[in-house]
């Protein structure tokens, strides 16, 4: 046999084929955000895969009403545009998974997201695949997976009812506003109330009549002791007002400036100042606005980041605060115990309250979650500062301090009230001294200064050093700030914690209101829209009606009210109002104001028009001539960057004032604070004018120089 033949007929033995190892199926967990997914996956381990839906995956269509009014207000949901790839990835992951859990946020909206996910993934809503946790910590997350539940349809229905009601209102009134006023306008339940409140306050200011009144502030002295201040109280022991200068002169004639004044009463007391409860969503928004100057959107963005998880070094990604959408001041026993342990170790037993303060829930509060607090009080703001952005740190410090203060003892003040008399004229002086700082140790507001009076007793005599009569006039109520507006909406039971931020954002984007000195003023457009809604849709701006509707939505959540009946009860009379408005509402003509100069392109007069972002110059021959110009306001300062252009006042898309160069885009100078036209004497940087409490202050942006504040 030839060698080649032998080779051809010989077969090699088959190698044993290696069996392919299939990786075990993982349990899929779906949350809303990638940051939350990253934090949770670390806690659950390798047998879990955590992915993000990136918010809602289904909603009502934008192009039409999307609610079948004739068939029990059935909503027609569609996949949100741009979410196709996300939905495809979620479906693929769900098919490969051993089990799917839906871990969206623990509120109505989170429940709604979970319900929509169950539909697109063909999950059984009655299956126990819903997990919720109030804080993103290892213990809380792991514990929640021991107690899965099915989707709570009462929560879903409450959210669905709100969504349908808002769609019926918005998509019924908005087209009318487009036809009768101008395109791009909108109206909604909560935003209409917010706008109405701002306009009502503006009307109060316009109709306010100042009233004159006077005060007499005096200084007294006992022997060689320090001078102390006292104010006029009344005549013959009774309170007496000073409406004018004649009344002041009558009092002054009674006084003998060189004679003795008698101390007729000295009252010493101990006054306790109680801490405030931990934050709810609205109180956090208000305090962040008041103390940190944060807008509501900025506060909620930073809070969301702190809740979802921040990488803090060796511990990895950790949720630092509890869920930030809540109207409850309730605190878990574990959190109270941890706070007490920290206070005993850090400050001593005298600072730890045995019965911490309990907050009073606002009317209509659901009390579904805990208050906003740190997930561990041992993560102090100082220990986390290097891991947080400036905005995150300041908000975390506020939340941590407020919670710790709520678990502490009251501050104790020694107070002293003194009554001074001569010839039937009564003055009163009040003094105080801190005896024990209590909760102010961690949550002071800088106003806790001692106001000491000399050691006085009944029967003592003092001398008058000087008297200063002063004229005053009563002031109108202040315009709403963000904090004031949120407080007003909450007190009146309008809206819920999650609605305040988008409501304020909407009325600004629509240019219904503008911010001047961090206070809201209605625009001409806002006045027009409000007038229409008040006239044709009075229930929409009826606070009691809207608050009652919010209460009914809460009853849907509790299973006490049918959402379809609730919507029907609202829509039947509302649809009649829409029909009436369609027939009777006249077209509103917003007249163009003459600009006072001509178009440089065609020579026609220029006019001032109202646009989406405010007023602007346009040619009166529009659309034949499309020349437009921004309305700019020069502040009389040369640009500190190019030294050629003028610094002008501009507005961002959110109507926030900033300052830029008139030569833009050739010069890109920009500043949020107003330049004053002078340079810092220390480092040469241009100086700016900042708003401070009670006035303005010229400072160097680098922090090297500041001048005294001016009223």
């Amino acid at each position: 046999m030839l060698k080649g033949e032998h080779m051809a007929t010989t077969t090699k033995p088959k190698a044993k084929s290696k069996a392919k190892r299939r990786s075990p199926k993982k349990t899929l967990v779906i949350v809303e955000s990638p940051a939350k997914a990253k934090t949770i996956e670390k806690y659950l381990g390798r047998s879990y895969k955590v992915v993000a839906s990136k918010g809602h995956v289904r909603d009502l269509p934008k192009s039409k009403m999307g609610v079948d009014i004739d068939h029990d207000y059935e909503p027609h949901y569609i996949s949100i545009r741009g979410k196709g790839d996300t939905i495809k990835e979620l479906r693929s992951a769900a098919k490969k998974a051993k089990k799917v859990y839906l871990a969206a946020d623990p509120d109505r909206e989170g429940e709604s997201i979970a319900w929509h996910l169950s539909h697109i993934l063909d999950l059984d809503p009655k299956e126990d695949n819903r997990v919720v946790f109030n804080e993103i910590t290892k213990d809380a997350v792991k514990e929640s997976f021991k107690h899965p539940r099915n989707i709570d349809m009462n929560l879903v229905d409450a959210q669905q009812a709100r969504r349908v009601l808002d769609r019926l209102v918005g998509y019924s009134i908005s087209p009318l506003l487009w036809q009768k006023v101008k395109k791009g306008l909108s109206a909604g339940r909560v935003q209409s109330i917010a706008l109405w409140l701002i306009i009502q306050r503006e009307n109060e200011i316009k109709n306010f009549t100042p009233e004159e009144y006077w005060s007499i502030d005096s200084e007294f002295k006992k022997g060689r002791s320090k001078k102390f201040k006292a104010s006029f109280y009344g005549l013959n022991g009774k309170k007496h007002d000073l409406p004018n200068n004649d009344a002041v002169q009558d009092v002054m004639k009674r006084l003998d400036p060189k004679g003795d004044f008698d101390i007729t009463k000295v009252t010493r007391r101990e006054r306790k100042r109680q801490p405030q409860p931990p934050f709810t969503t609205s109180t956090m928004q208000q305090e962040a606005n008041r103390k940190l100057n944060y807008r509501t959107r900025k506060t909620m963005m930073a809070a969301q980041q702190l809740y979802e998880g921040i990488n803090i070094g060796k511990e990895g990604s950790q949720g630092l605060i509890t869920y930030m959408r809540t109207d409850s001041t309730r605190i878990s026993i574990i959190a109270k115990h941890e706070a007490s342990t920290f206070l005993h170790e850090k400050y001593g037993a005298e600072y730890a309250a045995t019965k911490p303060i309990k907050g009073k829930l606002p009317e209509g509060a659901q009390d579904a979650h805990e208050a906003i607090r740190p997930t561990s009080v041992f993560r102090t703001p100082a220990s986390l500062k290097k891991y947080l952005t400036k905005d995150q740190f300041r908000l975390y410090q506020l939340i941590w301090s407020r919670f710790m203060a709520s678990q502490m003892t009251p501050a104790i003040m020694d107070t002293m009230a003194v009554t001074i008399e001569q010839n039937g004229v009564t003055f009163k002086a009040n003094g105080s001294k801190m005896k024990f700082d209590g909760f102010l140790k961690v949550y002071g507001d800088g106003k806790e200064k001692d106001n000491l009076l000399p050691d006085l007793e009944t029967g003592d005599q003092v001398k008058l050093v000087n008297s200063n009569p002063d004229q005053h006039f009563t002031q109108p109520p202040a315009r709403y700030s963000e904090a004031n507006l949120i407080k007003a909406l909450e007190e009146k039971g309008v809206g819920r914690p999650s609605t305040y931020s988008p409501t304020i954002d909407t009325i600004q984007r629509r240019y219904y209101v503008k911010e001047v000195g961090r206070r809201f003023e209605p625009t001409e457009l806002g006045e027009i829209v409000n007038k229409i809604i008040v006239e044709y849709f009075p229930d929409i701006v009826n606070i009691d009606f809207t608050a009652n509707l919010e209460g009914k939505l809460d009853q849907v959540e509790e299973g006490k009210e049918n959402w379809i009946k609730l919507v029907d009860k609202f829509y039947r009379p509302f649809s009649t109002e829409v029909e009436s408005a369609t027939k009777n509402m006249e077209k509103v003509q917003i007249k163009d104001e003459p600009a006072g100069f001509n178009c440089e392109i065609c020579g026609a007069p220029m006019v001032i028009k109202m646009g989406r972002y405010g007023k602007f110059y346009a040619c009166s021959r529009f659309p034949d001539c499309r020349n437009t110009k921004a309305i700019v306001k020069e502040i009389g300062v040369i640009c500190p960057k190019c030294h050629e252009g003028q610094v002008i006042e501009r507005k961002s898309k959110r109507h926030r004032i900033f300052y830029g160069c008139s030569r833009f885009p050739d010069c890109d100078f920009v500043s949020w604070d107003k330049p004053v036209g002078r340079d810092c004497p220390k480092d040469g940087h241009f100086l700016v004018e900042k708003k401070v409490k009670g006035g303005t202050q010229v400072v160097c942006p680098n922090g090297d120089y500041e001048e005294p504040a001016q009223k």
Side-chain angles (χ1 to χ4, degrees):
M1 187 180 290
L2 295 172
K3 189 177 180 181
E5 288 176 337
H6 175 74
M7 292 285 289
T9 55
T10 304
T11 57
K12 291 183 180 179
K14 287 183 180 179
K16 290 182 180 178
S17 61
K18 291 182 180 178
K20 287 185 179 178
R21 280 189 179 180
R22 289 187 177 180
S23 57
K25 286 188 173 183
K26 292 188 176 184
T27 298
L28 182 68
V29 181
I30 304 175
V31 296
E32 300 101 311
S33 77
K36 189 175 173 182
K38 184 180 176 182
T39 306
I40 292 170
E41 191 166 60
K42 186 190 71 170
Y43 297 151
L44 294 176
R46 294 180 179 179
S47 59
Y48 289 82
K49 181 180 180 181
V50 186
V51 296
S53 68
K54 299 168 189 173
H56 282 275
V57 290
R58 294 200 311 169
D59 198 4
L60 297 172
K62 288 186 176 181
S63 58
K64 57 182 180 180
M65 178 78 79
V67 177
D68 192 340
I69 295 163
D70 298 324
H71 295 88
D72 290 338
Y73 304 95
E74 183 184 349
H76 293 280
Y77 294 111
I78 62 168
S79 298
I80 295 172
R81 182 177 290 181
K83 285 295 184 81
D85 290 343
T86 300
I87 292 171
K88 189 176 178 181
E89 289 165 9
L90 291 173
R91 282 175 174 159
S92 174
K95 283 179 182 177
K96 297 173 186 175
K98 178 172 66 176
K99 169 85 176 174
V100 179
Y101 286 108
L102 307 171
D105 286 342
D107 58 9
R108 290 177 187 170
E109 195 161 353
E111 207 71 18
S112 179
I113 290 172
W115 180 68
H116 285 301
L117 285 168
S118 73
H119 274 265
I120 68 160
L121 300 178
D122 294 323
L123 304 177
D124 184 357
K126 295 180 181 178
E127 187 182 340
D128 290 341
N129 56 13
R130 176 81 169 110
V131 290
V132 292
F133 31 81
N134 190 51
E135 58 187 72
I136 303 178
T137 58
K138 189 172 184 178
D139 290 344
V141 170
K142 285 200 163 187
E143 184 63 25
S144 70
F145 278 84
K146 294 177 184 176
H147 309 285
R149 59 168 173 80
N150 56 17
I151 291 172
D152 187 336
M153 287 309 298
N154 289 333
L155 280 170
V156 174
D157 287 345
Q159 178 64 19
Q160 191 162 242
R162 176 184 287 278
R163 191 77 186 91
V164 169
L165 282 169
D166 289 343
R167 178 55 65 102
L168 291 171
V169 171
Y171 276 54
S172 297
I173 300 179
S174 297
L176 271 173
L177 295 176
W178 293 9
Q179 293 170 21
K180 306 294 185 179
V181 186
K182 68 191 294 292
K183 286 185 178 180
L185 303 183
S186 72
R189 291 185 311 112
V190 180
Q191 78 177 56
S192 296
I193 291 281
L195 176 60
W196 182 82
L197 285 171
I198 291 167
I199 289 174
Q200 285 296 105
R201 178 59 55 87
E202 195 68 21
N203 290 338
E204 287 177 41
I205 293 168
K206 287 176 182 175
N207 297 328
F208 181 80
T209 304
E211 291 183 7
E212 181 185 8
Y213 70 98
W214 286 70
S215 64
I216 305 174
D217 291 330
S218 302
E219 284 189 315
F220 295 90
K221 191 174 183 182
K222 178 191 174 184
R224 295 184 178 180
S225 64
K226 287 185 178 180
K227 293 183 288 187
F228 66 95
K229 291 181 180 180
S231 298
F232 171 77
Y233 173 77
L235 298 173
N236 303 317
K238 293 182 180 179
K239 177 73 175 168
H240 186 77
D241 293 330
L242 300 172
N244 49 47
N245 190 37
D246 290 341
V248 172
Q249 295 308 315
D250 287 343
V251 171
M252 297 301 287
K253 287 174 185 175
R254 289 194 182 202
L255 297 178
D256 177 7
K258 295 182 180 180
D260 291 329
F261 285 72
D262 297 321
I263 304 294
T264 58
K265 188 177 181 181
V266 177
T267 306
R268 290 181 173 85
R269 286 180 182 166
E270 189 178 87
R271 182 172 61 85
K272 288 184 178 181
R273 181 176 167 188
Q274 297 288 349
Q276 293 174 302
F279 283 134
T280 62
T281 303
S282 86
T283 55
M284 178 183 69
Q285 291 170 344
Q286 291 170 49
E287 197 76 341
N289 183 261
R290 188 176 70 86
K291 283 194 167 185
L292 308 181
N293 224 11
Y294 282 9
R295 285 173 164 76
T296 310
R297 173 186 281 269
K298 185 176 184 177
T299 300
M300 295 310 291
M301 190 180 295
Q304 183 88 31
Q305 293 160 354
L306 293 170
Y307 165 70
E308 291 181 345
I310 304 287
N311 192 317
I312 55 172
K314 291 181 181 179
E315 291 186 71
S317 186
Q318 297 284 341
L320 300 180
I321 64 169
T322 53
Y323 191 51
M324 66 286 160
R325 291 188 183 92
T326 177
D327 51 18
S328 173
T329 56
R330 182 168 46 82
I331 295 295
S332 71
I333 294 172
I334 295 171
K336 287 179 182 177
H337 177 71
E338 190 185 65
S340 180
T341 302
F342 179 90
L343 291 168
H344 276 80
E345 291 177 1
K346 179 77 173 175
Y347 301 115
E350 66 272 22
Y351 283 92
T354 51
K355 289 185 178 179
I357 190 83
K358 285 186 179 180
K360 184 182 178 183
L361 292 176
E363 191 175 341
Q366 297 164 273
D367 198 30
H369 316 298
E370 277 191 73
I372 302 168
R373 60 168 176 82
T375 53
S376 172
V377 298
F378 290 98
R379 292 194 189 106
T380 61
S383 70
L384 296 178
K385 189 171 185 179
K386 61 183 176 182
Y387 304 112
L388 305 177
T389 65
K390 184 181 177 183
D391 290 346
Q392 291 168 350
F393 170 74
R394 294 181 74 201
L395 185 62
Y396 181 76
Q397 188 176 45
L398 192 70
I399 293 167
W400 186 93
S401 301
R402 174 77 166 234
F403 170 66
M404 291 308 302
S406 74
Q407 304 302 300
M408 294 173 74
T409 48
I412 301 173
M413 312 286 288
D414 280 335
T415 65
M416 183 177 175
V418 178
T419 303
I420 308 162
E421 292 189 356
Q422 187 200 66
N423 298 332
V425 179
T426 305
F427 289 84
K428 289 199 174 186
N430 293 291
S432 62
K433 182 182 179 182
M434 182 78 72
K435 184 177 182 180
F436 176 67
D437 54 2
F439 77 92
L440 294 173
K441 190 90 171 174
V442 299
Y443 201 68
D445 54 15
K447 297 178 181 177
E448 306 82 27
K449 292 180 181 177
D450 290 342
N451 175 28
L452 299 177
L453 294 178
D455 188 18
L456 298 168
E457 299 293 343
T458 303
D460 287 350
Q461 292 185 323
V462 294
K463 290 286 187 182
L464 177 66
V465 178
N466 60 65
S467 275
N468 180 31
D470 199 8
Q471 184 186 36
H472 310 274
F473 291 92
T474 53
Q475 297 297 311
R479 293 185 176 96
Y480 284 109
S481 64
E482 275 198 12
N484 299 143
L485 186 58
I486 290 168
K487 187 177 181 182
L489 290 169
E490 184 183 38
E491 286 177 347
K492 295 176 190 305
V494 176
R496 286 296 177 262
S498 60
T499 64
Y500 299 137
S501 179
T503 296
I504 291 171
D505 187 52
T506 299
I507 59 175
Q508 286 182 278
R509 279 191 295 105
R510 299 295 183 198
Y511 198 59
Y512 295 163
V513 301
K514 59 184 178 182
E515 256 191 310
V516 179
R518 302 196 74 80
R519 300 274 173 171
F520 292 123
E521 286 185 23
T523 62
E524 180 188 352
L525 187 60
E527 299 262 13
I528 291 168
V529 170
N530 179 70
K531 186 178 178 182
I532 288 170
I533 293 172
V534 168
E535 184 175 349
Y536 292 99
F537 307 99
D539 283 344
I540 298 297
V541 288
N542 182 318
I543 288 174
D544 292 336
F545 178 86
T546 304
N548 182 56
L549 198 57
E550 293 288 354
K552 293 290 185 184
L553 289 169
D554 291 343
Q555 289 181 9
V556 172
E557 180 174 330
E558 294 162 10
K560 297 175 182 176
E561 179 88 28
N562 180 279
W563 80 269
I564 296 170
K565 289 181 179 178
L566 170 63
V567 172
D568 188 59
K569 198 181 291 184
F570 167 83
Y571 186 70
R572 285 185 182 277
F574 174 71
S575 61
T576 305
E577 291 177 344
V578 173
E579 288 176 15
S580 173
T582 305
K583 291 177 184 176
N584 302 320
M585 190 188 297
E586 294 181 1
K587 190 171 178 62
V588 177
Q589 190 71 38
I590 302 177
K591 293 181 180 179
D592 298 330
E593 303 173 42
F597 60 93
N598 294 334
C599 174
E600 63 267 32
I601 295 175
C602 70
M606 293 287 279
V607 293
I608 299 172
K609 284 186 172 289
M610 177 75 75
R612 187 175 178 182
Y613 301 118
K615 293 182 177 182
F616 64 96
Y617 294 127
C619 181
S620 57
R621 290 185 60 245
F622 177 87
D624 297 326
C625 177
R626 294 181 173 270
N627 183 25
T628 61
K629 281 185 173 184
I631 297 177
V632 296
K633 179 182 174 184
E634 293 185 356
I635 65 168
V637 172
I638 300 295
C639 174
K641 186 169 185 178
C642 69
H643 304 291
E644 293 181 33
Q646 287 283 331
V647 175
I648 58 173
E649 188 179 287
R650 302 175 71 95
K651 283 187 181 178
S652 68
K653 286 186 178 180
R654 299 197 180 280
H655 307 293
R656 186 180 174 188
I657 291 174
F658 69 96
Y659 300 89
C661 182
S662 59
R663 292 182 61 244
F664 178 84
D666 296 327
C667 175
D668 61 357
F669 167 78
V670 67
S671 171
W672 287 114
D673 298 308
K674 183 179 179 180
V676 297
R678 294 186 283 122
D679 293 335
C680 176
K682 292 191 175 181
D683 65 7
H685 195 285
F686 63 89
L687 295 174
V688 297
E689 184 180 88
K690 276 187 173 290
K691 288 180 180 175
V692 294
K693 281 193 175 179
T696 58
Q697 185 176 27
V698 174
V699 301
C700 175
N702 294 333
D704 296 330
Y705 174 80
E706 63 179 38
E707 296 178 2
Q710 301 291 322
K711 287 187 178 180

